Amino acid sequence: MQKKIKGFGTWIVLFLVIYILYALFSYMMTPHVKMVYSDLVNAIKNEQVSSMDISGNNVTATVTTEDGTTVRDVKIKIPSLDVLQADAGAEIAEQMAKGTLKQEASNAGASWISIGDLLVSVMVFVFFIFFFTRRGGGGGFTRMRAKTNTENCKVKFSDVAGAEEEK
């Protein structure tokens, strides 16, 4: 039973390492563009925005940069929807009529994907703490308790007492 638990703990640690590497590489592989509100308005006026998702005072946009790279999920905080409408409302309406801009409004609730990522991270952390700190001895991180093998001991001290060391 103990070997099964150690094997399961090893799989949990392996899963944790793979998950962290996946999260790290997926973050590194997606291009990130930092935008402020004025950059968003200029991008809308230059027809560089292909989609916008407005949620409260946050806009998530798909933007084509000056060099032609398309960047998804650019997050921009806007002062208010009325200010955006006043600054770029005519351009937004024109581009939506042409079909070059898609605009969606969504509620400000948390997405299931972000909740799932959080739950997976917490579960992995809890399993890691449970398997490596159980029994008060620290699990696999501190000293191991040695066991003596007394069942198959056929050689006694009297058999080897006075024997010369082999050279």
Side-chain angles (χ1 to χ4, degrees):
M1 180 70 183
Q2 186 68 17
K3 288 185 179 182
K4 288 182 182 178
I5 291 176
K6 284 184 181 179
F8 186 67
T10 304
W11 283 107
I12 294 292
V13 170
L14 183 64
F15 175 74
L16 175 70
V17 168
I18 291 171
Y19 178 75
I20 289 172
L21 288 174
Y22 169 75
L24 179 68
F25 285 119
S26 66
Y27 178 77
M28 289 174 51
M29 293 301 186
T30 56
H32 297 283
V33 173
K34 182 141 174 97
M35 288 186 88
V36 293
Y37 175 71
S38 60
D39 294 337
L40 174 67
V41 172
N42 289 334
I44 291 171
K45 289 181 179 181
N46 294 332
E47 295 187 9
Q48 294 175 329
V49 178
S50 59
S51 69
M52 291 188 335
D53 183 15
I54 301 172
S55 175
N57 286 354
N58 297 315
V59 173
T60 304
T62 301
V63 179
T64 303
T65 59
E66 308 251 341
D67 62 352
T69 306
T70 301
V71 181
R72 297 178 187 266
D73 298 332
V74 178
K75 297 185 185 335
I76 305 111
K77 186 148 182 91
I78 60 173
S80 72
L81 190 55
D82 295 331
V83 173
L84 178 64
Q85 189 68 28
D87 289 341
E91 289 84 1
I92 292 173
E94 178 185 322
Q95 291 176 28
M96 287 179 65
K98 287 193 298 187
T100 59
L101 175 65
K102 296 178 187 174
Q103 179 181 354
E104 297 178 15
S106 62
N107 58 4
S111 69
W112 286 107
I113 294 172
S114 64
I115 292 172
D117 283 345
L118 177 66
L119 287 177
V120 168
S121 300
V122 168
M123 287 173 39
V124 167
F125 180 73
V126 167
F127 279 126
F128 180 75
I129 294 299
F130 175 74
F131 282 110
F132 288 103
T133 61
R134 67 182 187 277
R135 287 189 287 148
F141 292 123
T142 61
R143 67 174 184 251
M144 301 291 283
R145 300 189 191 272
K147 295 182 180 179
T148 58
N149 187 5
T150 57
E151 297 173 0
N152 297 329
C153 187
K154 296 178 182 175
V155 179
K156 298 181 180 170
F157 181 73
S158 59
D159 294 339
V160 295
E164 289 286 326
E165 189 176 320
E166 188 174 323
K167 295 185 182 182

